[in-house]
Amino acid sequence: MEKYVINGGKTLEGEVTIAGAKNAALGILAAAVLTDEECIIDNVPYVEDTKVLLRAIENLGARVKYIDNHTVSICGGTIPNSEDLCVDDDYIRKIRASYYLLGALLGKFKYAQVALPGGCDIGLRPIDQHIKGFEALGAKVDIVNGGKVVAKADKLVGNHIYMDVVTVGATINIMLASVLAEGKTTIENAAKEPHIVDVANFLNSMGANIKGAGTDVIRIRGVQKLKGTEYSIIPDQIEAGTFMTMAAATNGDILIKNVIPKHLEAISSKLTEIGATVIEYDDSVRVMADGRLKSTQIKTLPYPGFPTDMQPQMAVTLALSQGTSVITESIFENRFKYVNELSRMGARIKVEGNSAVINGVEKYTGANLVAPDLRAGAALVIAALAADGFSTIEDIKYILRGYEDFDGKIRALGGQIEVADTDRDVQKFKLRVG
Ligand code: UD1
């Protein structure tokens, strides 16, 4: 099993270029099947989640071609309109975004059958709001044997839909299902994340009529047909934030390129508050830290609040800062699973309900760790880079789902990290860098 082996304690310095946004890409790749014409999508991150979704789209019968590692051509015109169509394999069940094919296929064919989504185990992840939205458009939705969701409609008609919780997935899914519906759909209490806006912009470039994405009321006027398009995905806010906290936690100096600084404001302001220096340029940010940072309070919230996907990386940074910090997780109920691992490196963190009380320590010491999920896995890499001595991190498959060339980018910044297959590889690394 592949693992990372890391020799910590090095200051990370230099430049890193951020890939396209994974969570925007997942919505956009699924949206591309809504037209029979070719869509060429650029700045697609070359990560496991997008590869798995593209394979599922190809398995449906679409023509999918990588023009290069980051540019994909999708032509949905060859997907058969058949009730035999089913999105289900061992891989697709592991990714969350499989559910976007539910909205896209329902929108296109008025019929969809998709295995219930998996994704990171960060708590209960219901899809009741997705189902509520599809039903409001006129679909009948059933969960059948083997954990598949089947959605079916004679026709889809626009409606007024109020979301009971702010959800990224359901907001995107309802947009996908309603762009070809008859009449007007209004999504109230919609999520406002940058990737919602990106999916809406992509759909509009295909000829959809969506207004208000990025606010909490999205208005969609159904159109009869969508056409092919060429589109470039926005940069990944969370990958950027991960490198920002990496600079802060390792007392480094990193210029993070290909970002939209506005999308990073919640992260930038917290890092500034604890004493790091954040300089914003047009499409890059530079993060520097020198000496011990300070404590703060953070509560995760839907955008523009502090993103839950940055909570573990920020906790790793705060656990090295002076004083007591409190992080409250308000989106997912099981997102502190990395705390045990971090404690084994010397962190002093106590979880009480949905809050973590963090008493900063001066140093972590290297340890053998296991990544519990995608973002927590990335956070443990940051901890290991900041720690004294060697660490190993198992289950890097989670990290590979969402970070492109993570170890390569870290090496280019001076971090000592390698992928090791065997204990012998680990020993070789230790001899080489130790
Ligand atoms: C997406 C992101 C994930 C991020 C999360 C919040 C993708 C593929 N994943 O996940 O990285 O952490 O947004 O920014 O884009 N909820 C319901 N009913 C539903 C749907 C959601 O109660 O039908 C709840 C969830 O349990 C959670 C909250 O709403 O408490 C937000 O979830 P949601 O925004 O939907 O997250 P995902 O789309 O799963």
Side-chain angles (χ1 to χ4, degrees):
M1 277 300 224
E2 287 190 329
K3 53 180 133 180
Y4 285 142
V5 49
I6 293 168
N7 184 30
K10 308 279 172 275
T11 296
L12 265 62
E13 285 172 336
E15 295 181 3
V16 64
T17 301
I18 297 307
K22 170 182 84 80
N23 288 347
L26 296 169
I28 287 171
L29 297 174
V33 307
L34 278 160
T35 173
D36 287 345
E37 297 177 16
E38 182 186 25
C39 294
I40 296 179
I41 302 153
D42 191 22
N43 210 27
V44 179
Y46 196 62
V47 294
E48 283 311 308
D49 270 16
T50 54
K51 291 182 208 169
V52 168
L53 184 63
L54 281 167
R55 198 162 59 212
I57 292 172
E58 193 169 27
N59 285 344
L60 284 171
R63 274 205 309 272
V64 174
K65 200 171 76 199
Y66 271 103
I67 296 170
D68 59 46
N69 277 357
H70 299 113
T71 314
V72 177
S73 154
I74 299 176
C75 183
T78 45
I79 304 175
N81 182 359
S82 148
E83 293 210 353
D84 293 336
L85 214 57
C86 177
V87 180
D88 187 12
D89 67 40
D90 286 350
Y91 291 100
I92 200 78
R93 278 178 182 263
K94 293 199 177 98
I95 73 166
R96 188 83 195 138
S98 54
Y99 57 36
Y100 290 144
L101 289 174
L102 203 54
L105 293 173
L106 179 66
K108 184 177 175 106
F109 297 127
K110 318 288 173 270
Y111 178 84
Q113 192 181 162
V114 177
L116 271 176
C120 285
D121 179 15
I122 50 180
L124 271 182
R125 299 180 81 174
I127 58 163
D128 57 302
Q129 299 302 305
H130 305 237
I131 294 175
K132 171 178 162 173
F134 298 152
E135 287 178 343
L137 297 171
K140 185 170 176 305
V141 184
D142 290 306
I143 300 185
V144 298
N145 280 348
K148 280 182 209 139
V149 188
V150 180
K152 201 172 180 174
D154 292 332
K155 63 174 181 174
L156 295 170
V157 183
N159 204 343
H160 192 98
I161 302 162
Y162 179 85
M163 312 300 305
D164 300 321
V165 283
V166 178
T167 134
V168 170
T171 303
I172 291 181
N173 233 343
I174 296 167
M175 289 200 297
L176 296 175
S178 61
V179 277
L180 291 170
E182 273 176 32
K184 249 173 59 182
T185 298
T186 309
I187 309 174
E188 291 238 35
N189 199 25
K192 296 182 281 205
E193 268 68 4
H195 35 292
I196 306 269
V197 180
D198 211 33
V199 176
N201 286 342
F202 174 72
L203 286 164
N204 283 342
S205 78
M206 296 166 83
N209 184 344
I210 303 175
K211 295 206 168 87
T215 75
D216 46 22
V217 183
I218 300 180
R219 293 192 167 81
I220 302 149
R221 194 176 281 279
V223 295
Q224 292 217 316
K225 206 169 169 269
L226 295 172
K227 58 181 169 52
T229 185
E230 287 188 26
Y231 193 82
S232 185
I233 293 172
I234 54 165
D236 197 302
Q237 174 203 20
I238 306 301
E239 189 198 3
T242 300
F243 280 98
M244 290 170 79
T245 45
M246 197 182 288
T250 63
N251 260 313
D253 178 352
I254 306 182
L255 180 68
I256 299 148
K257 293 168 37 177
N258 186 35
V259 301
I260 298 175
K262 172 111 190 75
H263 295 168
L264 303 172
E265 266 170 9
I267 305 160
S268 301
S269 72
K270 278 296 161 190
L271 286 175
T272 308
E273 204 180 300
I274 64 173
T277 304
V278 181
I279 306 172
E280 292 183 2
Y281 302 98
D282 285 351
D283 58 0
S284 58
V285 288
R286 181 173 171 194
V287 180
M288 294 171 275
D290 188 12
R292 262 186 106 190
L293 299 170
K294 294 179 292 213
S295 58
T296 190
Q297 321 279 316
I298 292 180
K299 183 173 183 183
T300 63
L301 287 168
Y303 189 83
F306 191 88
T308 172
D309 283 359
M310 278 303 301
Q311 183 259 100
Q313 302 89 313
M314 198 66 195
V316 162
T317 311
L318 292 176
L320 286 174
S321 301
Q322 210 153 22
T324 302
S325 299
V326 179
I327 295 188
T328 303
E329 172 57 59
S330 82
I331 312 287
F332 293 111
E333 70 272 13
N334 193 11
R335 225 173 175 173
F336 288 123
K337 282 195 298 185
Y338 61 88
V339 164
N340 284 344
E341 298 298 283
L342 217 49
S343 302
R344 298 201 295 109
M345 303 178 85
R348 285 171 53 211
I349 306 179
K350 203 160 160 242
V351 177
E352 285 168 8
N354 65 344
S355 292
V357 179
I358 302 171
N359 284 304
V361 294
E362 285 206 21
K363 265 283 166 209
Y364 295 137
T365 40
N368 294 328
L369 308 163
V370 180
D373 60 62
L374 165 59
R375 303 303 171 186
L380 292 180
V381 171
I382 297 175
L385 288 166
D388 277 342
F390 288 98
S391 298
T392 56
I393 300 177
E394 286 179 40
D395 276 353
I396 63 170
K397 60 175 190 270
Y398 292 116
I399 301 171
L400 302 180
R401 287 183 40 193
Y403 290 90
E404 181 177 322
D405 189 25
F406 200 37
D407 54 309
K409 289 183 180 183
I410 292 170
R411 270 193 302 278
L413 294 167
Q416 295 189 324
I417 178 171
E418 226 169 73
V419 176
D421 246 335
T422 60
D423 288 344
R424 216 175 113 85
D425 293 341
V426 174
Q427 290 313 325
K428 272 189 351 208
F429 173 84
K430 286 185 175 174
L431 281 174
R432 192 155 37 78
V433 305

